[in-house]
Amino acid sequence: MGSGLRAARLLLSRLRPRRLMPGPAPAPAPGQEGPKRLRRAMALRIGTHNGTFHCDEALACYLLRLLPQYRDAEIIRTREPQLLSECDVVVDVGGEYDPQKHRYDHHQRSFAQSMHCLRPDKPWQTKLSSAGLVYFHFGSQILASLLDLKEEDPVVQVLYDKLYENFVEEIDAIDNGIDQWDEKPRYAITTNLSARVGYLNPSWNDSDQDTEERFQKAMELVGREFLDRLNYYHRSWLPARTLVEDAIQKRFEVDPSGEILVFSKGGCPWKEHLFSLESELGVEKPIKFVLYADQNGRWRVQCVPAELHSFQSRLPLLEEWRGVRDEALSQLSGIPGCVFVHASGFIGGNRSQEGALRMAQRTLAQQAGPDTPSG
């Protein structure tokens, strides 16, 4: 696994475009005309539109260059139909979606494809951009190559879905102008990847409106984030599933209620795995708390959220503890070693695992009723 990620990092440096629109080549030295011309003639071409660029075609071009056949491909940025017709693959321009001809545009009136449309076993119904189209057709092949695995390997399939849902789909939605909420959002998010790519374009009043070099920077930006995200999901998110499953299987050893988990290591991304494993394993009583050690060797008791991305807890820590700290909290709760309870009650701390467990147990007991024994 480590060698696969090291290869991905090496690949990142090797795949930086040399020049997007190379100028006239110098005259070949005597006796070298044939081989050099042959190499130039054989170079594949990726076509996309010129002018203002967006995150979707920057990612689409970068992903294509992760494929062996397009590794050294020249990127042609133009809207000229004749030049595009000479390209081996065209993304985000041309008004045509035809994978047999390697045409991947999504702007035509007739286009309404989503992951679910193209593969009914996939749940995502967001309209695809050029990035989503390239990822749909080549994503498994790209991930398998980067991770040195077979395309059919379950790890590749899990990461394919995860990267679409948590990386590519956002780019698809933003490029297609799809709102994240049905109602007006409470605040604006202006630092997402698509926005950062947009800021690389020249300002309207910039005297230099050349976008070629800036598009190269956009490709490097989206490519680095794609590889970083793959690295995280492969090395951190996916292994965490085993830890969470093991904790669920042992939950009755922690507390008879089965509503408290203890993780052997802190900092693992547990929430998504917990929600999916509760369903898969048929957990009848929803889990309320997880316990883990922090970086200072103290223990945290964290409440499970009501839903995956919710700020509400299934069962927050006791209201009278919230916002109280240290000895005052220990005196109030009768539990030695307390450090804090957040003002919203979603997390608390104790100097020991036993203390953190008692904080969770006391909250469970209060929910169940005053006659229920507590730790």
Side-chain angles (χ1 to χ4, degrees):
M1 211 254 19
S3 61
L5 266 296
R6 283 194 295 272
R9 293 298 183 189
L10 289 173
L11 200 54
L12 175 62
S13 61
R14 287 165 46 198
L15 293 178
R16 288 174 181 165
R18 295 172 181 84
R19 293 187 63 179
L20 298 180
M21 291 289 287
Q32 296 183 351
E33 296 90 345
K36 285 193 175 181
R37 287 178 180 173
L38 181 60
R39 283 198 296 272
R40 286 199 300 272
M42 294 175 62
L44 297 180
R45 298 176 179 178
I46 299 171
T48 191
H49 63 81
N50 58 1
T52 300
F53 50 81
H54 309 98
C55 190
D56 71 315
E57 79 265 18
L59 180 59
C61 290
Y62 184 87
L63 290 176
L64 286 169
R65 277 188 153 182
L66 291 177
L67 295 165
Q69 61 268 38
Y70 295 115
R71 181 170 299 166
D72 299 313
E74 177 185 356
I75 295 183
I76 307 296
R77 298 186 66 231
T78 181
R79 293 184 185 274
E80 289 293 330
Q82 181 58 41
L83 291 177
L84 291 173
S85 70
E86 297 171 359
C87 293
D88 300 276
V89 56
V90 176
V91 300
D92 209 43
V93 70
E96 184 178 13
Y97 169 52
D98 186 345
Q100 299 300 318
K101 295 165 59 179
H102 290 314
R103 266 43 186 172
Y104 303 103
D105 195 13
H106 66 109
H107 293 101
Q108 54 274 27
R109 186 182 182 88
S110 61
F111 185 89
Q113 303 292 346
S114 65
M115 273 279 188
H116 183 70
C117 292
L118 297 175
R119 275 191 61 176
D121 62 311
K122 302 297 184 186
W124 305 289
Q125 301 190 41
T126 299
K127 181 180 174 181
L128 297 171
S129 69
S130 63
L133 284 171
V134 169
Y135 188 79
F136 171 78
H137 288 285
F138 301 105
S140 293
Q141 183 180 344
I142 290 167
L143 297 184
S145 176
L146 290 174
L147 300 173
D148 196 23
L149 298 170
K150 301 291 186 182
E151 278 192 66
E152 58 272 16
D153 191 298
V155 169
V156 172
Q157 298 309 309
V158 169
L159 292 175
Y160 176 89
D161 287 354
K162 183 64 176 175
L163 277 161
Y164 182 76
E165 183 172 47
N166 290 94
F167 191 88
V168 181
E169 185 180 23
E170 170 190 327
I171 296 170
D172 286 343
I174 291 173
D175 193 79
N176 284 304
I178 300 171
D179 290 329
Q180 191 175 8
W181 300 274
D182 292 330
E183 299 179 359
K184 185 178 180 180
R186 294 177 182 269
Y187 52 87
I189 298 176
T190 62
T191 57
N192 56 60
L193 183 58
S194 295
R196 282 181 280 131
V197 167
Y199 293 138
L200 290 175
N201 282 282
S203 299
W204 68 272
N205 54 353
D206 196 327
S207 59
D208 181 7
Q209 291 291 316
D210 184 8
T211 57
E212 297 305 312
E213 183 178 352
R214 292 168 180 259
F215 184 72
Q216 177 177 329
K217 292 180 180 179
M219 286 181 58
E220 292 174 353
L221 172 64
V222 298
R224 188 175 302 278
E225 292 218 11
F226 178 83
L227 291 181
D228 284 346
R229 192 66 64 88
L230 170 61
N231 182 30
Y232 166 75
Y233 287 141
H234 190 208
R235 297 187 61 188
S236 178
W237 177 81
L238 194 56
R241 182 181 176 89
T242 301
L243 186 147
V244 176
E245 184 171 2
D246 183 63
I248 291 175
Q249 299 289 6
K250 296 178 179 178
R251 67 191 186 279
F252 291 104
E253 300 175 17
V254 176
D255 185 80
S257 69
E259 297 177 78
I260 305 173
L261 303 185
V262 174
F263 294 148
S264 58
K265 291 184 178 180
C268 83
W270 55 267
K271 293 179 184 178
E272 186 173 359
H273 294 307
L274 187 147
F275 278 91
S276 63
L277 285 167
E278 278 186 329
S279 175
E280 293 175 23
L281 299 176
V283 174
E284 295 182 2
K285 189 181 292 186
I287 294 161
K288 304 299 193 306
F289 301 101
V290 299
L291 275 57
Y292 56 87
D294 65 17
Q295 293 179 335
N296 297 316
R298 298 177 177 180
W299 279 79
R300 298 290 181 94
V301 49
Q302 186 167 348
C303 308
V304 176
E307 297 177 352
L308 181 57
H309 299 294
S310 172
F311 289 109
Q312 304 300 315
S313 300
R314 285 178 173 174
L315 179 62
L317 293 168
L318 296 180
E319 194 278 333
E320 59 264 31
W321 296 351
R322 299 174 199 173
V324 186
R325 297 188 59 88
D326 303 320
E327 185 60 27
L329 180 58
S330 294
Q331 292 287 339
L332 177 64
S333 65
I335 301 172
C338 288
V339 178
F340 77 99
V341 169
H342 191 274
S344 68
F346 88 98
I347 194 170
N350 195 284
R351 296 183 182 278
S352 70
Q353 179 180 349
E354 176 61 25
L357 176 60
R358 289 182 63 186
M359 293 171 75
Q361 290 173 328
R362 184 72 59 77
T363 304
L364 283 174
Q366 190 104 344
Q367 176 202 38
D371 298 329
T372 304
S374 61

